[in-house]
Amino acid sequence: MPQAPVIACLDLEGVLVPEIWINVAERTGIEALRATTRDIPDYDVLMKQRLRILEEHGLGIADIQAVIAGMGPLPGAHEFLDWLRERIQVVILSDTFYDFAEPLMRQLAWPTLFCHQLEIDPSGRVTGYHLRLPDPKRRAVLAFRELAFRTIAAGDSYNDTTMLAEADAGILFRPPPNVVAEFPQFPVSEDYESLRLAFEEAIGRLAG
């Protein structure tokens, strides 16, 4: 029986592009918008906090998209992604929103992206959000397994850890110290060169 093919499942923000909400916080001067899943593990709590802050400050989708338009991939991310896509298939599993992601996906040569959708009213106010599924990253990895794929996952935050645990190999990339301390079972890469080595090791092990 042939060996199952391998898919890389990558987080987006913090792995390939900067954190969108941190950039919004820096542009608007609203410090509370700096919070990410590195700080607040419960994504629903985090998003409700963000929506409340946007409403309080009268910020809409156009304000966020204006910040994203000036963003680009992290230095070295495009080259790493090109390297990885030459070796195995790659899927981006992200808790961002399609309403945000297009400018960044264009700069990364349009990798496949699974993420969520915002609820936006006719005036441009962000009134809610819709997740594909609860714990979508882990469930995507489970679905790939049911399709007879093996997975190598990389992420940086609390909301990536269930994906990393479910994958055949999981890697933390530039995680904050609190995530490293709570999840010591995952190897840590601090730059793209070490991330390449971690993927090479995992690919070789799964192919062995």
Side-chain angles (χ1 to χ4, degrees):
M1 183 175 179
Q3 291 183 329
V6 181
I7 290 182
C9 298
L10 303 181
D11 181 33
L12 179 64
E13 295 178 64
V15 174
L16 298 174
V17 305
E19 294 283 350
I20 290 172
W21 289 97
I22 290 177
N23 276 262
V24 173
E26 290 175 351
R27 178 76 67 88
T28 61
I30 303 171
E31 189 65 21
L33 285 176
R34 294 184 65 87
T36 70
T37 51
R38 288 170 165 242
D39 312 298
I40 301 175
D42 190 316
Y43 189 71
D44 187 56
V45 170
L46 177 62
M47 277 305 302
K48 286 179 178 177
Q49 174 178 298
R50 289 167 170 170
L51 294 181
R52 184 181 69 254
I53 293 167
L54 293 179
E55 183 67 21
E56 288 173 354
H57 291 268
L59 298 175
I61 187 64
D63 301 290
I64 300 170
Q65 289 175 336
V67 174
I68 296 168
M71 293 174 58
L74 292 167
H78 200 313
E79 293 79 4
F80 168 75
L81 189 57
D82 287 346
W83 173 88
L84 188 58
R85 290 166 80 176
E86 291 177 0
R87 286 156 178 80
I88 56 176
Q89 297 181 83
V90 178
V91 175
I92 311 301
L93 302 180
S94 175
D95 278 324
T96 192
F97 301 92
Y98 287 115
D99 316 79
F100 292 172
E102 182 176 330
L104 297 168
M105 293 301 98
R106 182 182 301 110
Q107 295 180 71
L108 290 170
W110 301 107
T112 299
L113 171 67
F114 296 170
C115 65
H116 311 304
Q117 290 175 289
L118 291 172
E119 185 178 301
I120 302 168
D121 74 9
S123 71
R125 290 173 57 248
V126 182
T127 57
Y129 66 97
H130 300 281
L131 301 183
R132 306 243 75 77
L133 291 167
D135 200 4
K137 298 182 181 185
R138 182 184 68 85
R139 292 179 68 175
V141 169
L142 281 171
F144 288 136
R145 179 176 297 136
E146 291 179 4
L147 290 167
F149 289 97
R150 290 168 299 169
T151 51
I152 304 170
D156 71 317
S157 299
Y158 281 114
N159 66 326
D160 298 313
T161 55
T162 58
M163 169 179 74
L164 271 57
E166 200 65 57
D168 294 284
I171 306 161
L172 284 169
F173 181 67
R174 294 177 181 168
N178 53 312
V179 173
V180 176
E182 291 186 43
F183 299 93
Q185 67 269 40
F186 300 124
V188 175
S189 295
E190 292 292 352
D191 54 48
Y192 290 115
E193 182 57 34
S194 63
L195 188 59
R196 288 188 192 195
L197 293 174
F199 266 94
E200 285 181 336
E201 190 277 332
I203 292 169
R205 178 160 45 83
L206 293 178

